[in-house]
Amino acid sequence: MMISGTVLEGKCDLVSSHLSYPAPPRLLDLNMLLRRVLPHVRSMWLGCLLSMLTTAAANAQMNGYERPPINYLHTEVHDPVAKLAAQIQAGETQLAHDAEFGYLESVLQELDVPVNSQTLVFSKTSLQISRISPRQPRALYFNDDVYIGYCQNGKTLELVATDPQQGAIFYTLDQADETTTPKLTRDRGQCLSCHVSSRTQNVPGFLVRSVFADAAGRPKLGSGTFTTDQTSDFRDRWGGWYVTGQHGSMRHMGNTICEGDEYTFDREPGANELDLRDRFRTEAYLTPHSDIVALMVLEHQTQMHNAITAANYETRQALHQSYQMNELLDRPKNFLSDSAQRRISAAADRVLEHMLMCDEFQLTDKVSGTTTFAADFQARGKRDAAGRSLRDFDLNTRLFQYPCSYLIHSDAFGGLPDEVRSIILARLLDVLQNRDESEQYAHLSKEMRANILAILRETLPEFQHIVFAKQ
């Protein structure tokens, strides 16, 4: 490690520069020299090392994913797309190629991604920008773990999957060549130029971006952009996107070209749109819709995934650095420093706030989509004996009837290190049993808390174990 090399160099410099002794007429007693030298060296050496590690910890989320213990670009992954790639390579699965959509329909089927999850974005804010415009939007499809991007006449399908350990993993699939066995190629860093930033919580991740798009689909960056999730003001959502569905008197930025700037932008023409046929050739897509409920779920899910990945990375990095210090300081191997515990605790809090929909924008009118997405999404939920599920929608004042993210049942959440997952679940139990009545959870009524608690006790075995342990 570079730290070791630097420290050892520093140690030599410290001995020569800061500890000067006159040349003795005879050989100095070695024990006496060590007693005089080593306390100074050890103190200064550890001070330098602690300073370096503190700086590294502060920047861990920014660039630590390329180094141990994350090794994002080189660690083997086990996400759904990686598994499909292995099946194709082994000849166990064959993808069907269509003259119009390429491998799209076959990939959706193999990865169990519903067609009615389709959302359409016309801003030039992704890889194949020359293929995207208001007359030719890019289609996005998703389920709980996978996102797929399709462009008309595009050279590639773009796929992103959530690996339980490594988070968002990016792939492409060549659409043009149907004569050879299709190959899903893992990205080795190109996608991260956009998909690692504060917008993705500083980890390789996802984002739904709202922009003021001109007639060509180019974002007017001078007018500002928004990264949207369930906390975003409704009026700031879906700039550069098509949106089908009803939302009453609320207004958003979708379905509209920005001809001026953010001050003259008119949100009225794009409101409560049910039919997009006058805007582009809808028959060129698998469905003519860009369902508003699917968009709202997509916004929540992307940032929830990012929060889980950020907690995963932060915990693994904190443990790794703490264990390194244990070796240097001759502490017990599994000793966890106070600073590491604070980092893990803060990461747990961030996940819990996303999970419990803290600061969610309060809807002022009923929202409804134009497809069966909402019904199908709910049907996939794990239900308790009373028939309740975390996937049940509200859509009158908030997104979900029971404001606790369904991604608590995901492989990504299950893949969190025990050190952070146990904290999240314990604090979640404190909130749901009304022991934690902090201001950020004030939106959760006692009835909501009781309902969420009942659902989790019957649908998440690990949570039930924590309930028993508390008792």
Side-chain angles (χ1 to χ4, degrees), residues 45 51 75 87 106 110 135 140 148 185 224 249 256 260 344 354 375 379 393 414 423 436 443 461 463:
W45 177 58
S51 176
T75 297
Q87 291 167 1
S106 185
E110 291 295 335
R135 302 297 296 179
L140 287 173
I148 299 172
T185 303
S249 62
T256 304
I344 295 170
H354 278 275
F393 288 112
I423 294 174
D436 184 344
H443 64 292
F463 191 75

Side-chain angles (χ1 to χ4, degrees), residues 190-211:
Q190 179 181 359
C191 294
L192 301 185
S193 60
C194 293
H195 285 272
V196 178
S197 72
S198 59
R199 296 178 184 273
T200 65
Q201 301 182 43
N202 297 317
V203 293
F206 316 95
L207 68 158
V208 175
R209 202 170 173 191
S210 178
V211 304

Side-chain angles (χ1 to χ4, degrees), residues 241-386:
W241 295 74
Y242 287 119
V243 184
T244 57
Q246 295 184 325
H247 44 83
S249 62
M250 295 185 295
R251 294 294 176 264
H252 56 72
M253 293 171 58
N255 303 325
T256 304
I257 302 299
C258 182
E259 297 178 350
D261 58 22
E262 69 272 28
Y263 300 107
T264 60
F265 186 79
D266 186 3
R267 291 168 171 77
E268 195 62 36
N272 295 300
E273 182 66 82
L274 303 178
D275 191 341
L276 299 172
R277 284 179 295 181
D278 62 339
R279 301 173 188 273
F280 63 92
R281 288 181 56 250
T282 57
E283 62 271 20
Y285 295 85
L286 296 180
T287 142
H289 304 279
S290 184
D291 192 289
I292 189 172
V293 180
L295 279 163
M296 293 174 73
V297 170
L298 180 66
E299 289 173 323
H300 162 71
Q301 181 174 297
T302 49
Q303 290 300 328
M304 187 71 241
H305 268 311
N306 293 344
I308 292 171
T309 301
N312 188 316
Y313 281 23
E314 180 75 344
T315 301
R316 289 159 63 191
Q317 288 165 337
L319 293 172
H320 180 72
Q321 291 161 10
S322 185
Y323 296 160
Q324 283 183 315
M325 289 302 300
N326 291 346
E327 286 188 43
L328 294 168
L329 299 176
D330 295 324
R331 294 189 305 214
K333 181 179 179 181
N334 293 323
F335 177 80
L336 194 57
S337 67
D338 289 343
S339 63
Q341 292 183 56
R342 286 193 297 271
R343 290 171 63 185
I344 295 170
S345 177
D349 284 341
R350 289 190 290 271
V351 171
L352 191 58
E353 288 179 11
H354 278 275
M355 181 172 289
L356 292 177
M357 315 289 279
C358 294
D359 298 320
E360 180 179 10
F361 176 80
Q362 295 300 294
L363 304 176
T364 57
D365 251 315
K366 180 178 175 60
V367 172
S368 60
T370 55
T371 72
T372 61
F373 173 84
D376 294 346
F377 179 88
Q378 292 179 133
R380 294 197 298 275
K382 295 184 177 182
R383 299 193 173 274
D384 67 5

